[in-house]
Amino acid sequence: MESLSDVPEVNIRPDKHVSLNTKDFIDSVQYIALETTHESEFGEISQIQIAGDFFVILDKFTNEILFFRKNGGFVRKISAQNDDIPIPFKSILKFTIDTENEILSFPDALSPYIYEFDLLGNFIKTRKKEPVDYTIRESHYLNTFKIDYFSYDNSMAKKPQGRSITVTENGRENASYLYFDPSVIDQDDVYGARKYFFQSTEQLLFSRPYDYTIYTFGDNGEMNAYLQISLPENLRIPSDFLTSNKYSSKRRAYTNDNKSRVYLITDVYKTGKILYFKLIGSKYIKTLLYDLNTDVLINFRNYLSDSSTLYLPIAGTDVLGVDNNRLISVIPSTRMIQALNTNISISGYLASLPDHLREYYKRGNNQNPVLVLTKLKKSINYETDS
């Protein structure tokens, strides 16, 4: 991996951002109503990935994985009650898709088994977890490579130096990255993240807590630093936070006490020359767009939705992925119906909506959420009148 001294530094000043009308930076927004039936009804989207022509959605609360077509039509779901599953699983926290071998898999968090399915949701097999499987926080497949991110726990490896990242191909380890000293840091002393790997249309990015470097993986599986994020001093954690033993057993307490210190840069997605990301402290959160061409920072939560976006929200609370350079997020039915109700008094508004949104409005609150696919403009207009 190349030296950090050779990596571009991006200066982020969260209070120095612009707020825009949606017509100035949004190319288009697609609202996809996910079909609601007795079988397809679910609570929330904990994870979403693209598998061919399907949106594959995990709902941790119902403990199910659901398959929807790109138009929102329901296909099927993976449930512990499915007849083809011989040993019902108990808890899905995350799933992984291997597109090369067309396999969806997940470890059952409450059993010693890993489950495998094809990309239509048909059961293939279970296998027993290996000791190393218990230390993996998240896995991602890139071409023929499997990339694993491990917790700060080296007890299984029995080596004086732990590695956070391994890249394997056909079961053989090719490389490892981000080493740590297990005598200095432990998994119980740090906070984790909801997600670590962020697949954009053309690039796989990676971030981890307490690290202001964004990493990338090439098509050959090689990991390199992509960008260093520079924050104001009052938002930064100490530079030796992961490596100094003076913070041992104190890292969570430090994070909790220093509420505005950013310990996590997450949801890092790139579309064209725009970088989407979120800054998180224990009591601090900013959702931003950074224009890599102009170095302009855009507040993605403070915008004025106009007629170009039907006066509706242009994204949900979290961006969950990217499909064809469009940011994927989700809006719950209650919020979507409320937004539509707010605008319904505008003359001709209901007639101006696409047919599927008019139908969605008529059905009311008790529906599956709406997927929002937001495409940003290639050239953003910063000379706005508002």
Side-chain angles (χ1 to χ4, degrees), residues 7-24:
V7 177
E9 184 175 86
V10 173
N11 291 306
I12 299 298
R13 300 296 179 261
D15 58 333
K16 303 292 184 182
H17 62 258
V18 298
S19 299
L20 301 172
N21 291 349
T22 52
K23 65 181 174 60
D24 297 317

Side-chain angles (χ1 to χ4, degrees), residues 47 49-52 56 65 67 78 94-107 114-127 139-143 145-146:
Q47 178 186 352
Q49 283 192 231
I50 309 298
V56 186
I65 296 173
F67 291 72
I78 296 173
K94 291 179 181 179
F95 67 86
T96 303
I97 290 180
D98 176 359
T99 53
E100 287 287 320
N101 295 301
E102 299 186 344
I103 292 174
L104 179 153
S105 63
F106 59 83
I114 292 175
Y115 289 73
E116 294 186 0
F117 300 79
D118 66 22
L119 296 188
L120 294 176
N122 300 302
F123 175 76
I124 298 175
K125 68 178 182 179
T126 60
R127 61 178 177 87
S139 298
H140 189 92
Y141 285 90
L142 178 65
N143 301 324
F145 301 100
K146 182 174 185 277

